[in-house]
Structures are given as structure tokens and as C-alpha cells.
Amino acid sequence: MKLPIMCSQCINNDIASEHPIVAIEFRDDGRYEITCPKGHKSVTILQQQRFEILYEIGACAIIDGYYREAVSSFTSSLENFYEFFIKAVLFEKGIEKEMFISCWKQVAGKSERQLGAFVFLYLSEFGEVPILLDTKKVEFRNSVIHKGKIPTRAEALIYGQDVLNILRPIIKQLKTKYDKGVQEAVGQHLIQCRKENDHPVTTMGISTILSLTFTNSDDSLEKSLCRLCQKMRAVKA
Ligand SMILES: [Zn+2]
């Protein structure tokens, strides 16, 4: 799926209606350098966190019929959320960003260690065991990712829904109890995405199925796919 981005200079000059949109591929660094049809160069930073984008990519993969890729992206979204959770909670408690980065280096690239950190931090904060993927789902995920299993659309959809069911309540808890930490983590992400000489820079938010911003949606993945499908068609058109 491509991301539709409006040229900020065209908007300022009120000529947006002529050539409103540049469609651009999702990027790893969240920084989108565009040249609009009028030749204006600008940089747009996407506000969404990596776990939100990864989930969206998983949903796009279902629409496109790539079910193994969907399971893989949903899994990465889940794992990436653990990092965001830990970061937001620790920022709320006043832990310095540099200290977080130093500690994260010890667990970077090791998803089992990250999961362990999440489970015990969650216990410490909420006094209960976090809901995780159950054993069957973990076996399913491992067979897809490590053993080349080819899942059906229905299996990918159920797996994606399970991830959604796990993460949405935790995101709500996180925003309620650790809003300052969440804002700091988002702010840090925006700063990281920028380059020193970027000018002009705009920040853009998009609505995603798994969303840190819009936490009231309880739409199922299946229902959300219909909307996403329309969006994808609009961008392609
Ligand atoms: Zn322009």
C-alpha cells in the first residue's frame, strides 16, 4: 500500500486542489521526502509508531493475498509494541532516554528477552499477568514464520484479530495511566525521524486499524479490512 501525502507548500499556496497528493511507499525511518507535481520539495514525518504501521502492513498483506506475510507483520507489530510499552512506562517514571537506549541494546534483536521484560514490567505496574498469545497461537506463528507453513486467509485473519484483541486493551491502559510517557515516546520518535537540515517539515497522522490515537474503535479486523480496501483503491486511482 502507498501512503497518500499532501504537499504542504501547495496547501499554503491554496493550490492543493490541483495536484493534491503524492503516493509514496511506507518507509522504515518514518521520514517521507516528497517532490510534488509542482516541484516543491518537502519532508513529512509520520506520527504513527512502528507497531501501528506494521499492523497496517499485515492488514494490507491479507487484502493482497499474502497470508504468510500478514502473520509475520502482525507478529512484528506485537513484538514492537512491547518495546513501546516499556519505553512509555519508563519515560513516565522519569527514566532518561539515553539510559533506556543503553538498556535496550542488551535485549535488541532478542524477542524472548523483550517479552520477558514486558511481562514483569506489566506485572509490576498492573499487578496481574498480561494477556499474551496462547500456546496454540504461538505454535501456529512459529510454524508459519520458521517452518514455511502456508496459512489460509481465515487463519491469518484470526491471528490478526487475536493480536488486535491483545493490544487494544493494553493501549487503552497505557494511555490512561502513562499518558506523559506515551507523549514523550511519540515525541522522541518524531525527533529521531528528522534530519538536521530538513526544511520544511510537517508531521502527519494517519488512521490505522491498531491505533495509539484512536483508541475507541472496536471494529473487527474483517470490518476494518473493507475500509482499508477502499483506501488502497483510492490511492491507486
Ligand atoms: Zn506542492
Side-chain angles (χ1 to χ4, degrees), residues 7 9-10 36 38 40:
C7 168
Q9 293 181 64
C10 278
C36 86
K38 295 269 177 194
H40 304 132

Side-chain angles (χ1 to χ4, degrees), residues 23 31 40 58 61 65 68 72 90 93 105 144 172 182 230:
R31 179 182 173 279
H40 304 132
R68 293 196 74 236
S72 170
L90 294 182
K93 292 174 179 298
K105 279 183 188 158
V144 170
K172 274 187 191 169
V182 167
Q230 288 167 354

